[in-house]
Amino acid sequence: KQYYEKVGREKFRKHPVGSGPFRFVESKTDGYILLETVKDHHDYKVAFNTLRMILAADEMTRISMLQAGELDLIHGISPHNIKELKKNSKIRVKENSMTLGFKQLSTKLSWFPEYNSKLILAMAHAINRKELVDKLYLGHGYPLSLWASKIELGYDPKYEYEYDPEKAKRLLKESGYKPGSEILMTYTKIMPNVGATASAIQKYLSNIGMNVKIRELERGTYVTYFRNKDKRVGFMSLSGTAWAEDPHSRFMAQLRSDGYICPYWTRHNQKEMDDLIDQQAQEMDFPKRIKLIKKIRDINFKDPVSVPLFGTNIIYAMNKRIDYTWPDAAPHFIGLYYIKIME
């Protein structure tokens, strides 16, 4: 606090200090952050001297750098690259299924009043989630029908949108969708095989009579369109979510009518939804709060704002001279001070 008050916000951003086991050395925009270990730290004994975190957005670049010995630890690996990595005797590959991230087909119902939630339910029953996971992700994931990761508070596996194209067709007729009318689905580079996933979903939806056009958007363009409620963002988008184990922040942002990224504030029971979100935020008794969270999930399952698709395992790899285990529920690398030096 004294340092921040002395140097001000801008200098603190350029040269931060904290109380953890690493000390900031330098950073390069779009390059790297370099940290050094604090010797004799009162809480952590770190097995190495420096930690350099490098930005490598492209997966094949990360893999090539790992194989060349330029990186020691990477994540964001596609399932189809596991086999090739395992051929390298100097590399260890691991994965964790207890993750917070899940993929969904998010929609914007209140932006497009010509559609209603029966259209979302039709899409939910038209998509074969297990086939997506098995064929596109080689089984390194799990189907999801609830708007939640499987380790989030209030998750319940009993909720399921069964794959039923005939039911989907009936719901589509009841939704008011005009046969042949074009619906735009957009996506960004949010996950491995995202283009193939978009094409597969387009095929499932065409099988029930929907005319879906797909378009890739640069992430910044997508965010700008969304922020400005620009319909060029599309009625629906493939998105990936990695929030927290406690869903409160996501409820407030995406389900409450005044949430800053709420796309569906016109549901018929929105007041009930808002009241439940407020109640769970104030409830200190844990079992009672879980019941409130489950009521929220139940409402959103029956009148959904999005189509849950699947969760994907975190796949990561490292040079065998080190060892690191991905913590459950972590959306990204944390606890790097626990890295072990093996040789």
Side-chain angles (χ1 to χ4, degrees):
K1 179 183 177 182
Q2 290 177 340
Y3 175 73
Y4 182 87
E5 291 175 344
K6 178 181 178 181
V7 304
R9 181 172 180 267
E10 287 305 311
K11 186 171 181 180
F12 187 88
R13 289 179 64 191
K14 294 177 180 177
H15 200 291
V17 299
S19 59
F22 296 112
R23 180 181 293 110
F24 176 83
V25 177
E26 65 175 345
S27 67
K28 299 291 183 182
T29 303
D30 295 331
Y32 65 86
I33 297 174
L34 179 63
L35 309 175
E36 65 181 9
T37 300
V38 175
K39 301 299 182 184
D40 301 318
H41 190 272
H42 54 83
D43 284 333
Y44 304 98
K45 183 174 177 58
V46 184
F48 49 92
N49 295 323
T50 59
L51 174 65
R52 185 185 298 265
M53 295 181 288
I54 296 174
L55 175 65
D58 180 71
E59 178 187 356
M60 295 314 298
T61 299
R62 294 193 298 273
I63 290 175
S64 296
M65 292 177 74
L66 177 67
Q67 291 174 324
E70 297 171 11
L71 292 175
D72 291 303
L73 179 63
I74 66 171
H75 74 101
I77 299 171
S78 303
H80 61 270
N81 285 322
I82 293 177
K83 187 175 181 181
E84 190 64 29
L85 277 170
K86 285 185 174 180
K87 290 179 181 178
N88 190 325
S89 61
K90 295 182 179 180
I91 290 175
R92 179 186 294 110
V93 180
K94 291 185 176 184
E95 65 183 293
N96 188 330
S97 65
M98 301 302 290
T99 62
L100 285 168
F102 73 96
K103 309 302 181 286
Q104 63 180 341
L105 190 59
S106 60
T107 66
K108 300 156 190 71
L109 276 172
S110 294
W111 297 22
F112 295 81
E114 62 268 33
Y115 304 129
N116 61 49
S117 59
K118 284 193 175 182
L119 177 61
I120 314 304
L121 289 169
M123 293 191 291
H125 289 287
I127 297 170
N128 189 332
R129 294 162 180 76
K130 188 175 187 307
E131 186 174 62
L132 282 177
V133 171
D134 289 346
K135 291 189 175 181
L136 293 183
Y137 295 88
L138 307 180
H140 294 271
Y142 44 89
L144 283 174
S145 290
L146 198 63
W147 190 70
S149 300
K150 66 180 182 180
I151 59 172
E152 275 188 46
L153 295 181
Y155 173 77
D156 191 336
K158 76 176 183 182
Y159 287 97
E160 181 182 3
Y161 296 121
E162 70 277 9
Y163 174 55
D164 188 341
E166 293 307 312
K167 182 175 182 178
K169 290 176 183 178
R170 292 195 300 272
L171 286 164
L172 186 64
K173 286 183 179 180
E174 297 170 8
S175 74
Y177 171 75
K178 296 179 181 178
S181 60
E182 184 178 275
I183 292 181
L184 176 62
M185 174 174 67
T186 60
Y187 67 89
T188 63
K189 298 287 188 181
I190 55 156
M191 58 185 177
N193 291 343
V194 64
T197 303
S199 296
I201 290 172
Q202 180 188 43
K203 179 64 176 175
Y204 287 131
L205 299 183
S206 70
N207 288 342
I208 67 168
M210 291 179 64
N211 177 19
V212 177
K213 179 181 179 181
I214 57 176
R215 179 184 299 157
E216 180 181 353
L217 293 176
E218 186 273 328
R219 183 65 183 172
T221 301
Y222 172 85
V223 171
T224 299
Y225 286 167
F226 188 90
R227 184 182 60 216
N228 296 334
K229 290 186 170 57
D230 188 324
K231 290 189 176 182
R232 286 179 292 177
V233 75
F235 171 67
M236 52 190 178
S237 307
L238 268 175
S239 63
T241 306
W243 290 67
E245 190 173 356
D246 189 313
H248 169 69
S249 295
R250 193 147 52 91
F251 288 169
M252 294 294 290
Q254 294 180 287
L255 290 186
R256 205 179 189 289
S257 57
D258 58 356
Y260 72 98
I261 51 174
C262 176
Y264 184 26
W265 59 87
T266 53
R267 66 172 80 233
H268 73 280
N269 53 355
Q270 186 62 54
K271 185 179 185 308
E272 180 185 2
M273 175 69 85
D274 287 355
D275 289 344
L276 285 168
I277 291 172
D278 292 343
Q279 289 170 38
Q280 65 81 32
Q282 300 171 44
E283 182 56 66
M284 301 300 290
D285 183 282
F286 187 73
K288 289 181 180 179
R289 182 167 181 248
I290 291 296
K291 288 182 179 180
L292 292 168
I293 289 174
K294 287 189 174 184
K295 285 183 180 179
I296 293 169
R297 299 213 185 280
D298 186 69
I299 290 174
N300 198 51
F301 179 81
K302 294 172 181 175
D303 185 15
V305 66
S306 65
V307 181
L309 296 172
F310 51 83
T312 51
N313 298 350
I314 293 287
I315 303 170
Y316 57 111
M318 65 206 75
N319 187 315
K320 281 190 175 178
R321 73 185 188 90
I322 70 167
D323 191 27
Y324 171 80
T325 298
W326 194 283
D328 291 349
H332 48 73
F333 282 132
I334 63 171
L336 294 177
Y337 36 81
Y338 289 127
I339 290 175
K340 298 177 182 177
I341 305 298
M342 307 303 291
E343 59 180 61

